[in-house]
Amino acid sequence: MSWHTLAAATSSAAASATARPEAADRRRSPGVLLLAALLLGAAAALALTVRADVVAPPFQGADERWLAWMGGPHEGFPAAVAAVLNWFGGPLGVVVPLALLVFLLVRRRWLSAGFLFGVYLVGSTAVVQGLKHLVDRPRPADPMVRVDHGSFPSGHAAGAALLVVLVGVLLVPAARRRAWWIGGAVFTLAMMWSRTWLHAHWLSDTVAGAAAGAGAALLAWWAFSPALAREHDRPADPAGPGRTARSGRRS
């Protein structure tokens, strides 16, 4: 498939979603599936390339040059931003998706809550940890934060991209998603920068992580979009189903 064909397909899907966002959410968009496949394919290609030579993959020179640019000084405002992003993507950062899960449960959006829990768990655990064990790439020397085994892919970058898609799908109205995607891309890029600035990852690790996280979430959205749209359109009953049934019997 040529880049011109890909651009035309993506533009067509975006235009359709912009013109009729509610209708677009009720069907499986081929543009979303295409983007998910491209992102997951890119992450898989990077994983296989690194696994073939974990010490010196073909782009190791570019990774090392980028890491040299991230040499410092590691202080001031950039250090504060990197510290916040490190917290957000670490174990304590799980409070954010948990808060979203509680919100959806309180709103009785059971399918959305299950979607959030399942996709976040699979994306952050099965995909990221599976790639880490498959590739097992050494990290840059002297990382400035505590890290686990395996540099490839970046779990922080994957989690950021995954969460951006999940929030956009479940909480942002379709007509306002364009602004959300732009802000989410900036946030994900900031997370990628912070991981290399802290010498916790190579640049290619963060690219693969972001691609894997976003691709997994987009694929799940494509699969469940009609059901999620039906749940979102269903009017909420503040009295509860039992109260509704009793009211019906009295009428």
Side-chain angles (χ1 to χ4, degrees):
M1 176 181 294
S2 67
W3 285 108
H4 295 293
T5 304
L6 172 59
T10 306
S11 300
S12 176
S16 174
T18 303
R20 296 191 303 164
E22 294 81 7
D25 268 2
R26 293 187 182 91
R27 63 177 185 270
R28 293 184 175 92
S29 168
V32 171
L33 178 60
L34 176 60
L35 183 57
L38 288 172
L39 290 171
L40 291 174
L46 284 170
L48 293 175
T49 302
V50 175
R51 188 172 187 267
D53 189 349
V54 295
V55 176
F59 37 77
Q60 184 65 32
D63 278 344
E64 291 177 355
R65 283 193 297 274
W66 179 267
L67 194 67
W69 294 340
M70 299 291 104
H74 293 88
E75 58 188 19
F77 180 71
V81 173
V84 170
L85 292 172
N86 181 63
W87 172 89
F88 187 91
L92 293 177
V94 75
V95 298
V96 175
L98 281 178
L100 294 175
L101 181 64
V102 171
F103 172 79
L104 292 171
L105 291 174
V106 169
R107 296 293 299 271
R108 299 184 180 183
R109 291 175 58 180
W110 313 119
L111 178 62
S112 296
F115 178 82
L116 171 68
F117 180 79
V119 175
Y120 190 83
L121 187 65
V122 170
S124 60
T125 302
V127 175
V128 173
Q129 293 302 319
L131 287 174
K132 280 183 178 290
H133 284 85
L134 173 68
V135 177
D136 198 21
R137 185 186 192 183
R139 290 183 184 267
D142 303 319
M144 301 175 62
V145 290
R146 181 177 297 178
V147 294
D148 60 5
H149 81 94
S151 185
F152 184 100
S154 167
H156 281 64
L162 184 77
L163 197 59
V164 163
V165 176
L166 289 176
V167 173
V169 168
L170 297 176
L171 299 180
V172 180
R176 300 178 182 176
R177 281 185 188 145
R178 178 174 295 180
W180 174 259
W181 298 141
I182 295 173
V186 172
F187 169 69
T188 304
L189 288 171
M191 182 67 79
M192 295 166 64
W193 160 81
S194 73
R195 302 314 289 165
T196 58
W197 193 80
L198 292 169
H199 290 200
H201 286 283
W202 305 104
L203 178 61
S204 55
D205 300 336
T206 66
V207 172
L218 287 169
L219 181 62
W221 180 26
W222 175 83
F224 288 93
S225 55
L228 291 171
R230 286 193 298 270
E231 181 187 59
H232 184 269
D233 292 344
R234 190 166 58 240
D237 178 19
R243 180 67 174 272
T244 303
R246 289 192 296 271
S247 299
R249 285 196 295 268
R250 288 197 299 269
S251 60

